[in-house]
Amino acid sequence: MKRSYFNSNPKPKKKRQVSKTTTYKNGTAWRVFSLYTRTRDCVRTTGLVDYGKCISCGKPVPRKLGQAGHFLPGRHNANLFYERGCHFQCYGCNFMLLGNTMPYMDAIIKLYGPGIVEELRENDRKYHKFILEDLKEKVKIWRAK
């Protein structure tokens, strides 16, 4: 019997179940939080809604081209939607320089004081389970701001 590389009767693949919370967190909640963060920092750094300065390098960037960059990376912990740990960054610093953390750290210490780095590191050690109702409530707050 010849072995065929094309199976005429393949087994259907089982789809992985994704919770509504995960979908909401990765979609709507993140988009709204990112827009809120970028707008907040644009107004804080330049006084304009459409342009802001990167927290790491200080380069002026249009809000649409900027990113909401975290001081500590990771989408599994309490820092994901923590407003003091996420700021407006240019693409170069956030992606190409992997956060450009040293100037970022200097800037957040200047903004919030010396305890902020330890606060963010403590949050980084915590696993946070996001609940759909809590995320929806936060989205309402961010949209209102």
Side-chain angles (χ1 to χ4, degrees):
M1 178 184 218
K2 264 189 167 180
R3 186 171 178 195
S4 173
Y5 288 103
F6 300 102
N7 191 352
S8 61
N9 198 4
K11 291 181 183 177
K13 291 183 179 179
K14 290 183 181 178
K15 287 189 178 183
R16 195 177 119 217
Q17 292 291 331
V18 178
S19 73
K20 290 181 181 180
T21 304
T22 303
T23 304
Y24 194 81
K25 177 182 80 171
N26 291 337
T28 304
W30 175 251
R31 279 192 302 277
V32 172
F33 179 71
S34 174
L35 179 62
Y36 161 72
T37 300
R38 290 180 286 132
T39 305
R40 174 199 68 194
D41 288 351
C42 284
V43 171
R44 182 180 53 79
T45 59
T46 64
L48 304 171
V49 177
D50 295 328
Y51 278 87
K53 291 184 179 179
C54 173
I55 194 160
S56 298
C57 68
K59 182 173 97 175
V61 179
R63 184 188 69 200
K64 289 183 180 181
L65 298 178
Q67 298 182 349
H70 289 86
F71 176 66
L72 296 172
R75 295 186 64 86
H76 62 279
N77 56 39
N79 284 332
L80 178 61
F81 295 119
Y82 192 59
E83 294 179 21
R84 291 167 44 124
C86 189
H87 297 86
F88 184 84
Q89 277 191 308
C90 66
Y91 174 82
C93 287
N94 192 31
F95 187 74
M96 303 302 284
L97 297 176
L98 303 175
N100 202 2
T101 55
M102 292 310 286
Y104 195 149
M105 182 172 63
D106 294 341
I108 63 172
I109 288 172
K110 195 179 288 185
L111 268 176
Y112 303 116
I116 187 65
V117 175
E118 187 55 39
E119 180 182 325
L120 293 172
R121 287 190 178 138
E122 282 180 31
N123 275 352
D124 191 48
R125 292 183 204 112
K126 298 176 190 171
Y127 175 79
H128 185 76
K129 178 124 173 99
F130 293 98
I131 299 168
L132 186 60
E133 290 75 29
D134 292 343
L135 287 175
K136 286 183 178 181
E137 188 62 35
K138 285 185 176 191
V139 165
K140 286 180 188 175
I141 292 168
W142 295 325
R143 283 185 174 150
K145 287 182 178 182

